[in-house]
Amino acid sequence: MASIHKEFIIDAHPDQVWDALRDFGALHTRLVPGFVLDTKLDGDARIVTFSNGTVARELLVDCDDARRRLVYAIVSERLKQHSASIQVFADGDCRSRVTWIADVLPNEIAPYISSQMHLGVSAMQNKLGREAA
């Protein structure tokens, strides 16, 4: 199984980053606008429309406020397995270190998932870092 790790800094307080991240139905407005065009809630899932036209159904597995950690899984015909966690840590007084890990099968899809996560990282840094400035 391929495991993709992204660790990055956002120039925003971790409470602010977590507040946006934990808002499961607001990816397109609060966390990664432009990268995600729309998010619709459907029970414990969200239907996410990405800027490249891909639509994914992401199931909420866990939202842990004490640890500032969100876990989700993607259900898809293309993927045998996709589970991911994203967690926010303090990095000094007003910065956040974010760790995003996705485990995927088949292994061949890992480069695509990694490139999409890279775009998501840039969108988060742009949105949340800009709000903090």
Side-chain angles (χ1 to χ4, degrees):
M1 180 176 315
S3 189
I4 304 158
H5 296 252
K6 304 287 182 186
E7 188 165 283
F8 54 98
I9 300 295
I10 297 178
D11 289 324
H13 192 277
D15 290 340
Q16 178 187 1
V17 174
W18 175 243
D19 188 58
L21 183 65
R22 74 175 312 285
D23 194 350
F24 197 65
L27 282 173
H28 62 299
T29 57
R30 298 198 58 206
L31 193 63
V32 289
F35 174 62
V36 170
L37 301 179
D38 192 34
T39 309
K40 300 265 190 265
L41 291 176
D42 182 22
D44 286 341
R46 63 185 175 195
I47 311 303
V48 180
T49 303
F50 294 90
S51 60
N52 67 2
T54 300
V55 176
R57 180 180 179 81
E58 300 179 343
L59 301 173
L60 178 62
V61 175
D62 188 35
C63 183
D64 185 334
D65 287 320
R67 290 184 175 87
R68 292 189 193 117
R69 181 174 184 264
L70 186 116
V71 180
Y72 64 97
I74 295 178
V75 176
S76 162
E77 290 180 12
R78 290 177 55 195
L79 299 169
K80 290 181 184 178
Q81 161 70 28
H82 181 292
S83 58
S85 66
I86 187 163
Q87 191 166 6
V88 181
F89 303 93
D91 186 61
D93 291 336
C94 292
R95 291 181 1 150
S96 301
R97 180 175 46 87
V98 180
T99 301
W100 189 7
I101 301 168
D103 298 315
V104 300
L105 281 175
N107 292 331
E108 296 75 26
I109 202 159
Y112 169 76
I113 299 292
S114 182
S115 68
Q116 289 300 105
M117 288 172 68
H118 179 75
L119 293 172
V121 167
S122 294
M124 276 185 246
Q125 289 172 317
N126 288 338
K127 173 64 174 166
L128 297 173
R130 182 174 48 243
E131 285 182 355

